[in-house]
Amino acid sequence: MARQGQYHFESMRIARGLAVAAGVFVTATVLLIPRLAEAGGFQSLGLAVGLCAVTLGLLFAAFDRAPDAGWLFEYETRRKFKAVCEQKRLTGTDSAGRTVYPRMSRLMGGHLAWNVRVHPLLGQSLADWERASDALQMALGVVGVRFSDNGDGTITMRAGYQRLAHRDFVPPPPEPVDDGQDWRERLASVVVGFTEMGRPYALPLLDSHVLIAGITGSGKGSVIWSLVLGLRTPMHAGVVRFWGFDGKRMELSIGRNIFGDRYASDPVGMVELLERAAAEMLERADGLAGKVRRFDPSVVHPLNVLVVDELAYLASMLPDRKLRERADTALSNILIFGRAIGYVVVGALQDPRKETLGFRDLFPTRVAMRLSKPMVDLVLGSGAHEAGALCDLIPSDASGKGVGFVLGEGSMQPECVRMTWCSDQAIADAAASLAPPPVRPRLAS
């Protein structure tokens, strides 16, 4: 049974079915009992008692289901939805001149946050519904309304902010590696969490750069480590290489072996490592020029993922001006040319303002975690908060850690995702599996 105050269309359907069945038996009981009484006899009496028992049982079940079925909640939601549709001209007329409303189905959630499938009328588009989001938000009494295209002629309307359940990272099962497999397809995106609908969410990786923004404690590390640990198979195969830039010396150091000699934490070391990556990238570009038009990951040309914790520090806050200029040049080159050659930047930062990250527009994929309202549009683009990226409403307690809104290249609709939690032990295990075997001393013969 659904939790008190949480409604599910299946519960509503069952409760309605029980109510209809109870009504049928009540009617049958009222009509048949007088005739059975006239007929008399133990058989008639037994039948009458049986009818009464079934009727009472169905009535009890229907009333027991009623609170969780949310009949009043569903009725009020549909009533307000229709009123807004009429005001915003989202209705039509049939051949008899009667008003036709878009249909709602699969209502799930509660008073603070819920979602429903909407069946638009012919000729309506997602943009038509997005223009009505403010009116729906006001009428329904929720903090925000978002729409997404289901790809089957229906759209999902999400009202309010829905808390997402915590999930631990589960290592992907070992996969066979063969020389002929398509690494480009497998590295196009990596599952890092789950959406509001409970579906796995794959973060775009190949041919992209990923920007992760959120205040301290929002769970940026969950995005980074879910991505890194989700690529253990291609790492072992030598098709993916990670570079670690660990300004805090805390986030990435626990998985030091994953980065090998491509790890730095001091300012000079990070800038030199960044310049090394930029030089290798340009060398690869020269080697591929005139031979291929598209980069395909392989053991010969692996995908390089540059993981930068505290990106703003490396980009604009280094204490030495010359170091800042060198870092800016190398990072700009990688962001401009890298994704076409197999060099991807995954950068995390707390402050997304222009003065701290002047090239944030070079990141096609962006993740906004808990942020103040003015910062949301800086990360995801103008109008993102109005479109439903309610980063300021993400709870500051454990239930909000790892929750973020993701906007991919070419997308106008932010999607809410709960990133999987990667424990220190899971990271240490992955790092240990990539460590070189210990060298045993040879005994003198």
Side-chain angles (χ1 to χ4, degrees):
M1 185 178 292
R3 299 189 309 273
Q4 184 66 28
Q6 292 289 318
Y7 311 117
H8 191 284
F9 66 93
E10 288 291 352
S11 295
M12 299 176 188
R13 184 180 300 167
I14 292 171
R16 280 195 293 265
L18 289 170
V20 170
V24 170
F25 271 87
V26 166
T27 303
T29 302
V30 170
L31 293 176
L32 291 176
I33 282 183
R35 297 185 181 181
L36 292 172
E38 291 177 3
F42 288 106
Q43 188 174 3
S44 298
L45 180 61
L47 184 56
V49 171
L51 278 173
C52 290
V54 172
T55 301
L56 289 173
L58 286 170
L59 285 172
F60 174 80
F63 278 109
D64 182 60
R65 287 268 183 176
D68 288 326
W71 287 337
L72 182 60
F73 168 67
E74 183 181 24
Y75 169 78
E76 282 296 307
T77 300
R78 291 181 183 276
R79 182 182 66 81
K80 294 173 181 178
F81 175 80
K82 286 184 175 181
V84 174
C85 286
E86 199 160 357
Q87 288 292 327
K88 292 298 180 179
R89 299 181 180 179
L90 292 170
T91 59
T93 55
D94 60 14
S95 56
R98 292 171 298 193
T99 301
V100 178
Y101 296 91
R103 187 166 62 87
M104 294 172 59
S105 65
R106 305 176 74 86
L107 178 62
M108 294 183 289
H111 293 278
L112 296 179
W114 47 269
N115 60 74
V116 68
R117 181 169 294 183
V118 178
H119 301 255
L121 302 180
L122 289 176
Q124 293 178 350
S125 66
L126 186 64
D128 294 328
W129 288 91
E130 288 176 338
R131 284 192 289 270
S133 60
D134 288 344
L136 285 163
Q137 174 183 334
M138 182 71 70
L140 297 168
V142 291
V143 293
V145 171
R146 292 169 289 139
F147 295 95
S148 59
D149 189 347
N150 297 324
D152 59 359
T154 65
I155 59 178
T156 294
M157 180 172 74
R158 296 184 176 90
Y161 171 73
Q162 178 70 56
R163 290 183 179 236
L164 303 183
H166 168 88
R167 293 176 186 253
D168 289 327
F169 175 81
V170 177
E175 301 177 54
V177 176
D178 61 84
D179 295 335
Q181 69 185 89
D182 187 357
W183 285 109
R184 162 166 279 276
E185 182 178 345
R186 292 180 58 185
L187 297 176
S189 58
V190 182
V191 173
V192 296
F194 294 84
T195 68
E196 291 171 296
M197 305 302 291
R199 292 191 292 263
Y201 180 81
L203 190 72
L205 180 65
L206 192 63
D207 301 330
S208 187
H209 298 299
V210 182
L211 178 65
I212 309 160
I215 66 174
T216 300
S218 59
K220 298 185 291 294
S222 294
V223 189
I224 291 173
W225 287 114
S226 293
L227 183 67
V228 173
L229 300 190
L231 291 171
R232 287 182 66 170
T233 296
M235 268 194 292
H236 281 283
V239 181
V240 172
R241 296 194 306 171
F242 284 100
W243 303 61
F245 301 82
D246 195 13
K248 287 201 304 263
R249 299 170 174 83
M250 294 293 291
E251 185 63 53
L252 305 182
S253 59
I254 192 172
R256 177 78 178 262
N257 285 332
I258 292 175
F259 305 100
D261 66 343
R262 298 176 298 278
Y263 173 91
S265 57
D266 63 282
V268 174
M270 287 193 294
V271 173
E272 290 178 348
L273 186 63
L274 199 60
E275 290 177 330
R276 172 184 158 190
E280 287 188 15
M281 176 195 71
L282 295 176
E283 184 180 352
R284 174 182 289 184
D286 290 337
L288 295 178
K291 298 177 181 177
V292 295
R293 296 178 57 194
R294 187 187 73 170
F295 166 73
D296 286 307
S298 65
V299 175
V300 177
H301 297 115
L303 174 67
N304 289 267
V305 182
L306 283 65
V307 181
V308 187
D309 188 40
E310 298 300 337
L311 177 62
Y313 175 72
L314 183 59
S316 63
M317 296 182 182
L318 290 172
D320 184 275
R321 181 179 60 83
K322 291 185 178 180
L323 278 180
R324 286 200 306 272
E325 291 175 353
R326 289 168 59 189
D328 182 79
T329 300
L331 192 55
S332 297
N333 283 337
I334 295 171
L335 288 172
I336 293 171
F337 304 113
R339 61 181 183 145
I341 313 169
Y343 282 75
V344 173
V345 177
V346 177
L349 78 167
Q350 299 179 43
D351 186 355
R353 289 176 296 177
K354 201 74 173 179
E355 53 266 32
T356 58
L357 189 64
F359 34 70
R360 64 170 182 262
D361 292 337
L362 295 177
F363 288 85
T365 303
R366 306 175 196 178
V367 182
M369 311 196 81
R370 192 166 72 252
L371 287 167
S372 62
K373 184 176 179 179
M375 296 291 185
V376 177
D377 286 3
L378 289 181
V379 178
L380 299 181
S382 179
H385 189 275
E386 290 184 3
L390 309 176
C391 301
D392 53 322
L393 297 181
I394 297 175
S396 58
D397 57 19
S399 68
K401 289 188 177 182
V403 177
F405 289 84
V406 186
L407 196 65
E409 187 173 18
S411 172
M412 299 298 292
Q413 184 63 47
E415 186 157 17
C416 188
V417 179
R418 180 77 183 259
M419 310 299 170
T420 52
W421 162 250
C422 301
S423 67
D424 290 355
Q425 188 60 51
I427 298 169
D429 290 345
S433 71
L434 293 171
V439 178
R440 297 181 179 178
R442 300 181 65 180
L443 300 176
S445 57

